[in-house]
């Protein structure tokens, strides 16, 4: 049975792409010299340009110096991984094609100038406009999301269960586990796992949350609404069978 999605008030593609980039800790680079993985080696400018610090002996340094100026010569790949253990933990992948330019050769800093940006999520892939990407800002909760979701799942499983009361009953058919999958300024997404397959349901906030205080207030409102709703029969049966 399909899940009902409430995708209104969701991040735009450019904002989502900037959020993936802001939260990513590792980066895979594919160039003529092959593929290299870098961990904790990149920073991001305000307009979304990636600055990569590489070892002096990296093939990327030579490629950046020798490559024709302005011609796409490399692809950066970033993975958005759910912080809470769930099935299919890769929530999105971001590919940025473009070319490297030496920014500070002595320190091994390379500036990546994009020519094409593609964001792939479970709903499909979209080409992100370069100007929109440069102008967009990451979600204000992007860098704190991992800590927030982990705390919610580990310390407040009762709250997660209560929130399922806001999920359409048919979306919970056959559910064996529900976990928090994502949170942004617009809402919370739950991953509903079944014996076969899984689906996601989004609970939107009544107003965007631009900081931690506002997020706390929005979550309290969702939990209050859930407390006033009836417990889904699917999860009632799950508890009765001893699986909850």
């Amino acid at each position: 049975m399909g899940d009902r999605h409430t995708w209104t008030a969701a991040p735009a593609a450019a904002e989502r792409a900037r959020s993936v980039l802001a939260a990513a800790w590792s980066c895979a680079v594919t160039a003529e010299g092959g593929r290299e993985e870098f961990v904790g080696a990149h920073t991001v400018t305000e307009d979304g340009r990636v600055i990569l610090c590489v070892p002096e002996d990296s093939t990327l340094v030579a490629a950046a110096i020798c490559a024709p100026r302005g011609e796409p010569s490399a692809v950066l790949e970033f993975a958005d991984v759910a912080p809470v253990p769930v099935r299919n933990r890769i929530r999105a992948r971001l590919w940025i094609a473009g070319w490297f330019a030496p920014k500070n050769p002595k320190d091994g800093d390379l500036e990546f100038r994009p020519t094409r940006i593609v964001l792939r999520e479970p709903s499909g892939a979209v080409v992100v406009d370069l100007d929109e990407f440069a102008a967009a800002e990451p979600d204000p909760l992007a860098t704190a999301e991992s800590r927030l979701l982990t705390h919610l799942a580990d310390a407040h499983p009762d709250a997660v269960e209560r929130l399922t009361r806001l999920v359409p009953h048919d979306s919970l058919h056959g559910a064996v586990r529900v976990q928090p999958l994502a949170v942004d300024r617009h809402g919370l997404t739950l991953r509903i796992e079944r014996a076969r397959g899984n689906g996601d349901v989004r609970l939107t906030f009544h107003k965007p949350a631009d900081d931690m205080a506002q997020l706390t207030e929005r979550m309290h409102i969702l939990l209050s609404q859930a407390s006033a709703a009836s417990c889904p029969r699917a999860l009632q049966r799950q508890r009765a069978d001893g699986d909850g």
Side-chain angles (χ1 to χ4, degrees), residues 6 22-23 45 50 64 123 143 148 191 214 243:
T6 306
T45 65
V50 176
S123 57
T143 56
L148 293 170
R191 166 64 55 83
Q214 291 182 5
D243 296 331

Side-chain angles (χ1 to χ4, degrees), residues 91-103:
R91 302 181 300 187
R93 290 189 185 275
L94 178 67
W95 290 278
I96 307 178
W99 52 285
F100 281 109
K103 181 177 178 60

Side-chain angles (χ1 to χ4, degrees), residues 88 91 116 147 161 170 183-184 192 203 237:
N88 305 322
R91 302 181 300 187
R116 182 178 174 87
R147 174 173 53 85
E161 180 178 327
D170 60 349
V183 68
D184 55 62
I192 301 171
L203 306 178
R237 289 196 299 270

Side-chain angles (χ1 to χ4, degrees), residues 55 68 115-116 127 166 175 200 206:
T115 56
R116 182 178 174 87
V127 177
L166 300 177
D200 303 333
H206 70 287

Side-chain angles (χ1 to χ4, degrees), residues 13 16-22 75-80 92-96 117-120 128 133:
R16 181 77 179 97
R18 288 294 301 271
S19 297
V20 171
L21 185 58
V75 176
L76 309 187
E77 180 181 345
F78 301 89
D80 176 28
R93 290 189 185 275
L94 178 67
W95 290 278
I96 307 178
I117 300 172
V118 176
L119 175 69
R120 176 178 288 278
V128 181
F133 180 81

Side-chain angles (χ1 to χ4, degrees), residues 113-211:
R113 300 181 181 178
T115 56
R116 182 178 174 87
I117 300 172
V118 176
L119 175 69
R120 176 178 288 278
E121 297 182 289
S123 57
V126 60
V127 177
V128 181
D129 181 83
L130 293 176
D131 291 335
E132 292 179 2
F133 180 81
E137 294 183 359
D139 186 273
L141 306 176
T143 56
E145 184 196 26
S146 178
R147 174 173 53 85
L148 293 170
L149 292 181
T150 301
H151 178 75
L152 179 60
D154 294 345
H156 302 286
D158 55 326
V160 176
E161 180 178 327
R162 199 188 327 165
L163 288 170
T164 61
R165 300 180 184 184
L166 300 177
V167 176
H169 288 190
D170 60 349
S171 291
L172 291 169
H173 181 73
V176 296
R177 187 173 71 156
V178 179
Q179 290 277 51
L181 177 70
V183 68
D184 55 62
R185 66 193 296 261
H186 300 288
L188 173 73
T189 301
L190 300 178
R191 166 64 55 83
I192 301 171
E193 296 182 349
R194 307 181 182 88
R196 295 182 179 179
N198 49 260
D200 303 333
V201 173
R202 186 169 174 83
L203 306 178
T204 56
F205 300 141
H206 70 287
K207 289 192 300 185
D210 293 327
D211 54 38

